Amino acid sequence: MNWDVYLKEATEHLQHYIRIDTVNPPGNEIEGAKFFENLFNRESIPCEVYEPEKGRGNVLAILKGDGSKRPILLCSHMDVVPVEREKWEVDPFSGTIRNGYLYGRGTLDDKTMGILEMMTLFIAKREGLRLKRDLLFLATADEETGGRWGVRWAVQNLPVLDDVEYALNEGGDVILDEKGSPTRYEISNGQKVICHLKLKARGTSGHGSMPHRDNPNVKLVQALDQVTKWETPFKILPSVKEYFRKLAPRQSPRERPFYEDIEEGLKDPSFLARFTSNPIYNAMIRDTIALTTLQGGNKTNVIPSESSATLDCRLIPGYPKEDFLNELRRHLGHEIEWEVLSESRSIPPSPLDTDLFRAIERFAQERDPGCPVLPHLLPGATDSRYLREKGIITYDFCFARLTEDELLRVHANNERISLENLRFGMEMMFSIIREVAT
């Protein structure tokens, strides 16, 4: 297989895709859907575009197998977050290549994923793979604002998804150390439960020169002080325990025993302090609460009658949400009102004892011997929650090799992907699909 030729083709497609402005809002993903439709038509792969709301497009292409095994869904989203143009080194919608990197909004989140998945179907067809599974390509709208017109719409309206066994979507990566050596393959098989809350305090308005005890700002600040100091209890899922167990051999001799059994390790106060100082690790083992907005008053010399705040709460799946909310109420006190702004269902992580997960492990051991493949509980949220809710075994993995510093470019200025990663991603995705689907 001539990967140099395929890399050149994928690079050109990604450049064109980046040049399609799909910033959400408003999205305009229909233009991205038409882009894919044109390319699939050129390859004679059946494809259909859907527009559930004006300008909000989804595109589905299917490369048929013999049907002896259930389909695999390759999923990505076409919308991207806004940009601060003046802070970019290049035009964020130009697809500029510089020093081996392709720059542009969406290169990490999530347009490269769409190109890799499209190329997987192209290569499978051109190389004449005898597929036992249908390969479904789905590029969707609206992931960045909740998925209403994208994956959520698709699982409700596209019957072809009913029989899907596996799905691959955005999420984890191959994590490199500062020297560029791989430390772990992170495969997200589950994510935390969203619970966004708006808090409100009421009081008596008045002149700022005459403070009183019914100031809603004071009530809210005091309540928030209690909530933000709350050390929520540990809730360690089996897959999370396995994640840290597999990380243990790469720790120092001093730290290794704590990682081998993280539940026991967290009983050591000094290790607990070190461990929870890592915000990602801390978010994997407990419910978290982030104070994200505050609003109270609009003039320096006026005490308002009302103030508000929002909390972004992310909960460990599999535990009653009511227990968390009852304890939160105890910390807030009874003078604070609240309403739920948005929430997701508690969905168990996808199982790991599958052909697809083992195929990923085999590739990792061939390419990077000794590098662990870790199940990762995603602290954030992706559209995968809708797929898992439908019963589809879903793994979030972006097929890229990135340092933690490079990961910080997601949603940030000068987002970019290396051409080396584009090639690695194609080779890995095709290798895994060939193993599982033939």
Side-chain angles (χ1 to χ4, degrees), residues 195-210:
C195 184
H196 291 165
L197 303 174
K198 182 174 182 178
L199 312 183
K200 188 178 292 185
R202 302 182 190 275
T204 303
S205 62
H207 200 287
S209 65
M210 294 176 286

Side-chain angles (χ1 to χ4, degrees), residues 198-202 215-218 220-221 224 291-298 304-310:
K198 182 174 182 178
L199 312 183
K200 188 178 292 185
R202 302 182 190 275
N215 186 328
N217 285 342
V218 175
L220 186 62
V221 168
L224 290 172
L291 172 60
T292 50
T293 71
L294 279 169
Q295 185 174 355
N298 53 24
S305 62
E306 187 177 292
S307 59
S308 64
T310 55

Side-chain angles (χ1 to χ4, degrees), residues 79-315:
D79 60 322
V80 298
V81 296
V83 298
E84 298 175 296
R85 284 180 178 268
E86 69 282 0
K87 296 184 179 180
W88 280 64
E89 297 172 5
V90 301
D91 182 340
F93 299 103
S94 64
T96 297
I97 296 175
R98 179 184 292 180
N99 298 324
Y101 287 88
L102 197 161
Y103 285 75
R105 177 58 87 220
T107 48
L108 292 176
D109 184 16
D110 180 38
K111 289 189 172 182
T112 296
M113 187 81 169
I115 296 299
L116 294 179
E117 292 172 342
M118 179 191 73
M119 290 300 299
T120 297
L121 267 66
F122 286 4
I123 298 170
K125 185 174 187 292
R126 295 172 189 174
E127 299 292 330
L129 292 193
R130 296 183 178 182
L131 296 171
K132 294 183 177 181
R133 303 177 186 269
D134 293 351
L135 300 184
L136 277 59
F137 169 96
L138 179 65
T140 65
D142 203 31
E143 190 275 343
E144 298 292 358
T145 54
R148 177 184 179 189
W149 302 115
V151 171
R152 196 172 89 180
W153 177 89
V155 298
Q156 294 170 347
N157 292 278
L158 300 180
V160 71
L161 300 183
D162 292 346
D163 192 40
V164 170
E165 181 174 13
Y166 297 129
L168 288 170
N169 194 20
E170 65 170 338
D173 295 278
V174 183
I175 308 300
L176 308 178
D177 62 20
E178 317 80 55
K179 298 179 181 178
S181 299
T183 62
R184 61 196 182 274
Y185 283 57
E186 285 192 346
I187 315 295
S188 174
N189 67 322
Q191 56 190 252
K192 296 182 76 173
V193 181
I194 299 169
C195 184
H196 291 165
L197 303 174
K198 182 174 182 178
L199 312 183
K200 188 178 292 185
R202 302 182 190 275
T204 303
S205 62
H207 200 287
S209 65
M210 294 176 286
H212 52 69
R213 295 183 178 180
D214 197 33
N215 186 328
N217 285 342
V218 175
K219 295 178 185 178
L220 186 62
V221 168
Q222 290 175 342
L224 290 172
D225 180 59
Q226 293 298 310
V227 167
T228 54
K229 288 179 178 177
W230 176 26
E231 295 285 346
T232 56
F234 302 134
K235 300 174 180 178
I236 301 175
L237 297 177
S239 60
V240 172
K241 189 171 183 177
E242 177 72 358
Y243 176 94
F244 291 112
R245 187 188 69 78
K246 286 187 172 182
L247 274 186
R250 293 178 173 265
Q251 308 305 312
S252 66
R254 174 192 177 196
E255 298 284 278
R256 194 172 301 148
F258 300 123
Y259 281 80
E260 287 172 345
D261 187 341
I262 199 65
E263 289 175 302
E264 287 298 314
L266 290 171
K267 295 176 182 178
D268 182 278
S270 60
F271 174 72
L272 171 64
R274 294 193 302 274
F275 183 86
T276 54
S277 67
N278 182 318
I280 297 175
Y281 289 177
N282 183 63
M284 291 173 66
I285 61 170
R286 63 183 358 150
D287 299 334
T288 57
I289 304 165
L291 172 60
T292 50
T293 71
L294 279 169
Q295 185 174 355
N298 53 24
K299 201 169 188 297
T300 305
N301 62 351
V302 177
I303 297 172
S305 62
E306 187 177 292
S307 59
S308 64
T310 55
L311 299 178
D312 183 350
C313 306
R314 305 294 176 120
L315 315 181

Side-chain angles (χ1 to χ4, degrees), residues 311-331:
L311 299 178
D312 183 350
C313 306
R314 305 294 176 120
L315 315 181
I316 299 292
Y319 292 84
K321 189 181 300 182
E322 295 72 25
D323 291 353
F324 169 81
L325 293 176
N326 288 338
E327 188 64 16
L328 182 69
R329 163 62 68 197
R330 190 178 71 80
H331 284 82

